[in-house]
């Protein structure tokens, strides 16, 4: 498969991944936002529970960043949508993320890489952070406490934001807070009261929280 070029307008692409074709959605900044030299790769929630790059939280994270002039790349993990392969409990999905990030860096070497992930996608992006060395990482409802997913060796960057709903019915919010308090270098944390796992009726609040917290990481945030 021929390696696709990075598009000059929003588009859906197919990339040659470790398990076969990977489906990508590239979204350029919205409206009047001046484009910034940043590309954020966003990881979706659990494949076996219907997670995909079209998940509402994933698309809202993309919207929040594009409003700030950031280009985003959403993609389907193996076995989802037009991406080949089968679910691999985070191992193969980490390989998928690395393939997408490497493509971004090869196509846009002068751009800074950010990573973001929701739920299972937060786990995958956290695990990949040590190897990929993103300039920033956004973790939405990281599924801490799940026996099959080990968070003990993650190495997030110093620019790290965690957003967690207090009324999360899938992820143990208190477990997330206790884990973060145990870290030597904890992240910026936004706790959202009365907020469920999928941020029902809170998606606009999520967009505002992300934008408020990450502005300080932008190249011209002091202007």
């Amino acid at each position: 498969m021929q390696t696709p070029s990075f598009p000059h307008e929003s588009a859906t692409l197919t990339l040659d991944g470790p398990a076969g074709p990977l489906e990508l959605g590239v979204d350029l900044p919205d409206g009047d936002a001046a484009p910034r030299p940043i590309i954020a790769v966003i990881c979706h929630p659990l494949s076996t529970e219907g997670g995909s790059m079209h998940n509402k939280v994933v698309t809202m994270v993309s919207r929040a960043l594009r409003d700030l002039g950031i280009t985003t790349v959403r993609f389907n993990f193996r076995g989802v949508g037009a991406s080949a392969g089968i679910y691999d409990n985070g191992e193969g999905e980490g390989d998928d993320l690395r393939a997408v990030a490497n493509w971004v860096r090869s196509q846009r070497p002068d751009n800074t890489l950010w990573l973001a992930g929701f739920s299972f996608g937060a786990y995958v992006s956290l695990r990949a952070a040590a190897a990929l060395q993103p300039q920033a990482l956004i973790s939405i409802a990281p599924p801490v406490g799940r026996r099959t997913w080990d968070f003990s060796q993650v190495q997030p960057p110093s620019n790290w934001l965690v957003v967690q709903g207090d009324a999360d019915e899938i992820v143990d919010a208190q477990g997330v807070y206790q884990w973060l308090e145990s870290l030597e270098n904890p992240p910026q944390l936004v706790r959202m009261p009365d907020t469920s796992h999928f941020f029902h009726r809170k998606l606009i609040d999520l967009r505002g929280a992300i934008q408020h917290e990450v502005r300080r990481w932008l190249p011209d945030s002091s202007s």
Side-chain angles (χ1 to χ4, degrees):
M1 181 184 299
Q2 186 174 2
T3 300
S5 298
F6 204 93
H8 296 290
E9 58 186 23
S10 297
T12 299
L13 307 173
T14 301
L15 180 69
D16 189 16
L22 280 175
E23 182 181 14
L24 281 66
V26 177
D27 297 297
L28 274 59
D30 277 345
D32 298 328
R36 301 178 189 271
I38 301 170
I39 299 177
V41 178
I42 307 171
C43 300
H44 68 69
L46 192 60
S47 309
T48 55
E49 298 295 332
S52 80
M53 69 181 190
H54 302 295
N55 170 269
K56 290 182 179 180
V57 174
V58 169
T59 56
M60 184 55 77
V61 173
S62 173
R63 177 65 181 274
L65 297 176
R66 283 161 32 227
D67 285 348
L68 298 176
I70 298 170
T71 297
T72 66
V73 177
R74 296 170 293 116
F75 71 100
N76 278 329
F77 287 130
R78 57 187 59 199
V80 179
S83 292
I86 58 174
Y87 172 69
D88 194 30
N89 199 42
E91 296 295 332
E93 288 80 4
D95 294 337
D96 297 340
L97 170 56
R98 284 185 285 274
V100 174
N102 290 338
W103 172 75
V104 166
R105 282 180 158 154
S106 70
Q107 294 291 315
R108 288 290 185 269
D110 295 331
N111 283 200
T112 297
L113 176 70
W114 287 19
L115 297 181
F118 168 45
S119 196
F120 173 71
Y123 167 68
V124 173
S125 53
L126 268 164
R127 284 194 66 201
L132 293 177
Q133 294 289 299
Q135 195 266 340
L137 175 64
I138 301 168
S139 303
I140 312 296
V144 176
R146 296 285 289 268
R147 292 182 180 179
T148 55
W149 300 333
D150 182 11
F151 283 80
S152 63
Q153 301 299 318
V154 299
Q155 299 178 36
S158 57
N159 293 331
W160 180 27
L161 169 65
V162 174
V163 183
Q164 176 63 53
D166 281 345
D168 195 318
E169 73 281 16
I170 293 176
V171 172
D172 178 9
Q174 292 305 314
V176 172
Y177 303 145
Q178 290 172 9
W179 173 63
L180 295 178
E181 289 172 358
S182 73
L183 299 178
E184 183 177 351
N185 298 303
Q188 296 169 221
L189 171 63
V190 174
R191 296 177 55 162
M192 293 183 58
D194 303 318
T195 300
S196 67
H197 185 68
F198 291 101
F199 293 81
H200 295 307
R201 298 184 299 278
K202 299 284 188 173
L203 288 170
I204 300 301
D205 295 338
L206 174 63
R207 181 177 68 176
I210 291 171
Q211 291 176 343
H212 179 269
E213 295 298 325
V214 306
R215 283 183 192 275
R216 71 195 72 183
W217 301 340
L218 301 176
D220 59 351
S221 59
S222 61
S223 62

